[in-house]
Amino acid sequence: MYKDRKHSPTKNHIAPFEVVIHNTKHDCWVSLLGKVLDITNLIKEFENEKCVRPLLAEAGKDISQWFDEDTGDIRTYVHPITGAKVPYCPHGPLPHVPPQVPATSWRPILLPWWKDPQYEVGPLTKRVRPLKILNMLTCQEAYINVCCEDTILRITERYSIFNRDGLSYTWLYGDKQLHMDKNLEENGVVDERDSFTALGLPHNTHVPLLYIYYNDDFKYESI
């Protein structure tokens, strides 16, 4: 669903549970340093080379540990024999990473895959939040997980698996109507899980509950 928005000026935040389902060589996503990459085409380009094996082994997972947070590049270490600073690839060679020993076949890459915007799907969420939504028309309660950066409008999209007409409802938290272009925190729906943990309580002691009230917008008015 994100591929259609890949080149959109604003990209939706993506949760780890959305990355993990893309875990095959025909559909391969990884996250690193706060961003999500679709490297399916990269896997296809190097499919007959062993340098894609580490990527396939970590398909659908976060590989930030391979990278230096300050430079955004592959981590390096000092080679014990040559004394040169070389890429640290304990799981095997990777595409676009120079070999530890100079080789005539190596050609420098100006824009390696981990920095190439063509592979970027969107930013990785800083935190996933649980949320309950109660439809006051049907009395159906849904439990979903959302990104903490998601606006209420984006949450209506996630909620569409339960009700595709989320925009035909007024969204409230308590007696306060929510702003559709703001996220939960901006709407006063505070994430209290850290406070619960500090008090020795289960983090899911309280899950925020949103109420939605149907607005008869005559969308399905018969002719």
Side-chain angles (χ1 to χ4, degrees), residues 128-198:
V128 174
R129 294 191 58 176
L131 187 65
K132 290 189 290 187
I133 301 172
L134 179 59
N135 186 330
M136 300 303 290
L137 177 64
T138 64
C139 294
Q140 179 194 48
E141 183 175 284
Y143 187 108
I144 64 174
N145 288 303
V146 302
C147 297
C148 66
E149 302 88 356
D150 285 345
T151 63
I152 304 302
L153 184 61
R154 173 63 181 138
I155 291 174
T156 65
E157 295 177 4
R158 294 188 183 278
Y159 177 66
S160 65
I161 61 174
F162 299 98
N163 189 326
R164 60 189 176 91
D165 293 321
L167 292 178
S168 295
Y169 288 76
T170 296
W171 291 66
L172 286 85
Y173 178 61
D175 59 354
K176 178 184 176 183
Q177 184 171 345
L178 302 176
H179 295 278
M180 303 300 286
D181 59 345
K182 295 182 179 181
N183 62 35
L184 291 171
E185 201 79 21
E186 292 168 340
N187 271 295
V189 186
V190 180
D191 189 348
E192 302 177 294
R193 288 176 294 173
D194 289 339
S195 298
F196 295 145
T197 301

Side-chain angles (χ1 to χ4, degrees), residues 1-206:
M1 66 184 288
Y2 292 98
K3 290 183 179 179
D4 295 336
R5 306 180 184 193
K6 191 169 181 178
H7 302 290
S8 172
T10 57
K11 299 176 182 177
N12 291 322
H13 281 79
I14 303 169
F17 62 79
E18 296 173 289
V19 179
V20 73
I21 61 176
H22 302 274
N23 56 13
T24 71
K25 68 177 183 180
H26 302 295
D27 181 19
C28 184
W29 289 16
V30 293
S31 60
L32 61 95
L33 302 180
K35 59 185 178 181
V36 177
L37 306 183
D38 178 353
I39 57 172
T40 307
N41 289 336
L42 181 74
I43 298 296
K44 184 177 181 180
E45 179 183 352
F46 293 89
E47 63 181 343
N48 295 320
E49 301 182 35
K50 64 179 181 180
C51 61
V52 298
R53 293 176 185 173
L55 292 174
L56 288 174
E58 299 298 314
K61 302 176 184 178
D62 188 87
I63 56 174
S64 296
Q65 71 275 12
W66 296 357
F67 298 86
D68 186 310
E69 292 184 7
D70 294 327
T71 65
D73 282 314
I74 293 289
R75 292 181 182 274
T76 60
Y77 76 109
V78 177
H79 196 281
I81 298 178
T82 65
K85 184 180 289 187
V86 295
Y88 181 63
C89 300
H91 304 290
L94 294 168
H96 301 174
V97 176
Q100 293 187 353
V101 179
T104 57
S105 60
W106 168 252
R107 296 292 182 271
I109 303 297
L110 296 178
L111 190 62
W113 60 266
W114 57 86
K115 288 187 174 181
D116 193 336
Q118 72 166 307
Y119 296 111
E120 290 188 27
V121 183
L124 185 70
T125 183
K126 293 181 179 179
R127 198 173 195 187
V128 174
R129 294 191 58 176
L131 187 65
K132 290 189 290 187
I133 301 172
L134 179 59
N135 186 330
M136 300 303 290
L137 177 64
T138 64
C139 294
Q140 179 194 48
E141 183 175 284
Y143 187 108
I144 64 174
N145 288 303
V146 302
C147 297
C148 66
E149 302 88 356
D150 285 345
T151 63
I152 304 302
L153 184 61
R154 173 63 181 138
I155 291 174
T156 65
E157 295 177 4
R158 294 188 183 278
Y159 177 66
S160 65
I161 61 174
F162 299 98
N163 189 326
R164 60 189 176 91
D165 293 321
L167 292 178
S168 295
Y169 288 76
T170 296
W171 291 66
L172 286 85
Y173 178 61
D175 59 354
K176 178 184 176 183
Q177 184 171 345
L178 302 176
H179 295 278
M180 303 300 286
D181 59 345
K182 295 182 179 181
N183 62 35
L184 291 171
E185 201 79 21
E186 292 168 340
N187 271 295
V189 186
V190 180
D191 189 348
E192 302 177 294
R193 288 176 294 173
D194 289 339
S195 298
F196 295 145
T197 301
L199 293 171
L201 299 171
H203 66 85
N204 60 349
T205 296
H206 170 70

